[in-house]
Amino acid sequence: MLIDIMNVLVTGGSGLVGNALQNISNNHKLYKFIFLSSSDCDLENYEETMALFKRIKPEFVIHLAANVGGLYKNLISQSSMLEKNLLINSNVLKCAHELKVRKCISCLSTCIFPDKISYSSYPIDETSLHDGPPHESNYGYAYAKRILDVQSKAYRDQYNDNFICVIPTNIYGKNDNFNLENAHVIPALIHQCYLAKKNKKPFIVKGSGRPLRQFIYSIDLAKLILWTLEEYNGNANIALSVGPEEEKTIENIARIIAKCFDYEFELIFDTSFSDGQYKKTCSNKKLMENIETFDFTSINIGIKETINWFIENYKICRK
Ligand code: NAP
Ligand code: GDP
């Protein structure tokens, strides 16, 4: 029997999550995945984006592309994080609408959740996204992402487009950006500890080490995004996250990394650096009710695999 293979366009296909999706989606029976990088098309440019959509004619879109970075990149680039992400998201959604894409899944983040909410409201869930301003440290990125949610809903409401968003927590894994200044905490600390061990220098962790975060391994997230494409038929956002009980302090994470490197000296917490948002604990109740069961990679194994990859690919990785 002949089966129609459908095109799935993945924006941001060369990034951390895009690479993980490439890893798990090889030879899919139903879909042909097309992974984009910025060298295929500048998604900030509407004409280029439309030309690409017309050429590929995607039935489905997984929209991962974004201007992304850790706390210290966000702090110094509010305007570009806001402007670039607004442009990218608006262009992708408009083209997906014009080309009558059957389902468009876009990526938000738990770091756009409100900052000051009452402690009894934790864990936060999908319904609380707009219940107060985001943390000052990343308001540019956060408001652009919140508009991505608003725009997806507006297309749903006005045109019945099947546009939804997933909300991952802090992601880490192979092919991440390991830049010391711009990266998220796990890749930045992996790189810091690697250099500390190699040069017999102190392993410096920025901030107090006390903030709490949930972390998802990129391969787990890729599997959950594929599940969202194939199985999730809800018309509202869904958080893709480990449970609140998996929350870790930054100090916990630094110590796991130090142990993996056999780094035997003291850690130094440099409190001249901002801590960012203290916590943004997210519920994964909706996910678990819909998927029933999912085997999350333990953080110790995920970090170990990421470190091995980083060491093997030190010369060529993003850093
Ligand atoms: P990433 O590794 O930084 O990759 C970003 C991707 O976007 C790359 O493929 C990049 O292409 C592409 N891109 C950036 N600007 C572009 C442009 N103007 N035109 C075309 N492509 C462009 O990001 P990630 O960590 O995989 O993040 C994927 C998604 O998850 C994003 O939407 C992000 O906001 C969200 N998210 C990330 C985290 C996290 O901890 N990393 C947490 C929650 C949510 P090039 O490779 O060519 O530069
Ligand atoms: P966030 O989850 O959006 O805040 O982003 P990050 O992944 O950047 O995590 C920020 C938290 O990790 C803050 O509490 C930082 O103080 C702490 N942290 C410690 N060292 C580093 C580092 O080298 N880079 C980053 N990005 N964060 C660090």
Side-chain angles (χ1 to χ4, degrees), residues 143-284:
Y143 278 115
K145 286 281 185 187
R146 285 186 184 195
I147 290 297
L148 173 57
D149 167 55
V150 172
Q151 202 167 2
S152 302
K153 181 179 181 321
Y155 276 111
R156 280 201 305 274
D157 289 346
Q158 188 173 344
Y159 301 108
N160 215 15
D161 286 338
N162 189 3
F163 289 4
I164 56 156
C165 301
V166 293
I167 313 176
T169 46
N170 206 310
I171 311 158
Y172 70 99
K174 301 167 189 177
N175 297 288
D176 208 343
N177 166 24
F178 292 85
N179 183 279
L180 293 168
E181 273 83 40
N182 288 339
H184 282 98
V185 59
I186 289 186
L189 288 185
I190 288 176
H191 195 175
Q192 283 276 10
C193 191
Y194 171 87
L195 293 176
K197 170 96 182 171
K198 186 166 161 235
N199 302 324
K200 300 190 173 51
K201 289 268 170 58
F203 176 20
I204 296 172
V205 180
K206 292 172 181 156
S208 69
R210 284 195 292 270
L212 291 156
R213 296 288 184 272
Q214 287 153 288
F215 295 94
I216 186 164
Y217 193 41
S218 56
I219 294 288
D220 292 352
L221 179 63
K223 288 178 184 164
L224 292 172
I225 291 174
L226 201 53
W227 168 83
T228 310
L229 177 72
E230 295 178 307
E231 310 279 346
Y232 177 69
N233 292 317
N235 68 350
N237 297 342
I238 184 159
L240 303 181
S241 166
V242 298
E245 67 286 353
E246 297 296 331
E247 200 167 44
K248 301 273 182 274
T249 65
I250 298 301
E251 178 172 353
N252 292 152
I253 295 300
R255 294 204 182 279
I256 294 173
I257 292 172
K259 197 162 171 225
C260 288
F261 276 107
D262 288 323
Y263 177 86
E264 64 272 25
F265 305 106
E266 260 310 283
L267 273 60
I268 294 178
F269 293 91
D270 185 345
T271 52
S272 66
F273 283 91
S274 161
D275 265 349
Q277 191 165 344
Y278 173 57
K279 62 188 242 170
K280 29 200 156 182
T281 322
C282 171
S283 164
N284 70 349

Side-chain angles (χ1 to χ4, degrees), residues 65-84:
N67 195 279
V68 184
L71 167 63
Y72 304 111
K73 175 174 173 182
N74 274 286
L75 272 169
I76 57 165
S77 3
Q78 302 290 356
S79 169
S80 44
M81 298 300 264
L82 179 75
E83 193 172 281
K84 285 172 186 290

Side-chain angles (χ1 to χ4, degrees), residues 80-141:
S80 44
M81 298 300 264
L82 179 75
E83 193 172 281
K84 285 172 186 290
N85 286 312
L86 282 173
L87 283 170
I88 290 173
N89 297 335
S90 182
N91 288 339
V92 169
L93 259 53
K94 193 170 167 53
C95 292
H97 169 72
E98 297 291 331
L99 273 278
K100 300 188 172 29
V101 163
R102 286 164 55 177
K103 187 171 185 175
C104 177
I105 300 170
S106 300
C107 211
L108 306 178
S109 167
T110 56
C111 66
I112 70 170
F113 273 154
D115 179 31
K116 291 189 174 56
I117 62 161
S118 76
Y119 267 63
S120 59
S121 310
Y122 286 110
I124 314 177
D125 69 16
E126 299 83 355
T127 60
S128 307
L129 202 57
H130 300 278
D131 290 355
H135 192 263
E136 262 299 296
S137 60
N138 70 348
Y139 71 88
Y141 174 79

Side-chain angles (χ1 to χ4, degrees), residues 26-81:
N26 251 340
N27 298 322
H28 197 284
K29 287 193 190 79
L30 280 184
Y31 304 122
K32 179 183 173 207
F33 288 86
I34 298 129
F35 292 94
L36 293 187
S37 77
S38 61
S39 59
D40 296 304
C41 166
D42 179 5
L43 297 170
E44 286 180 49
N45 179 305
Y46 178 74
E47 282 73 30
E48 270 189 46
T49 308
M50 184 48 111
L52 180 117
F53 268 71
K54 281 187 172 159
R55 183 157 52 80
I56 292 175
K57 298 187 183 60
E59 267 105 352
F60 299 93
V61 170
I62 297 176
H63 173 37
L64 305 174
N67 195 279
V68 184
L71 167 63
Y72 304 111
K73 175 174 173 182
N74 274 286
L75 272 169
I76 57 165
S77 3
Q78 302 290 356
S79 169
S80 44
M81 298 300 264

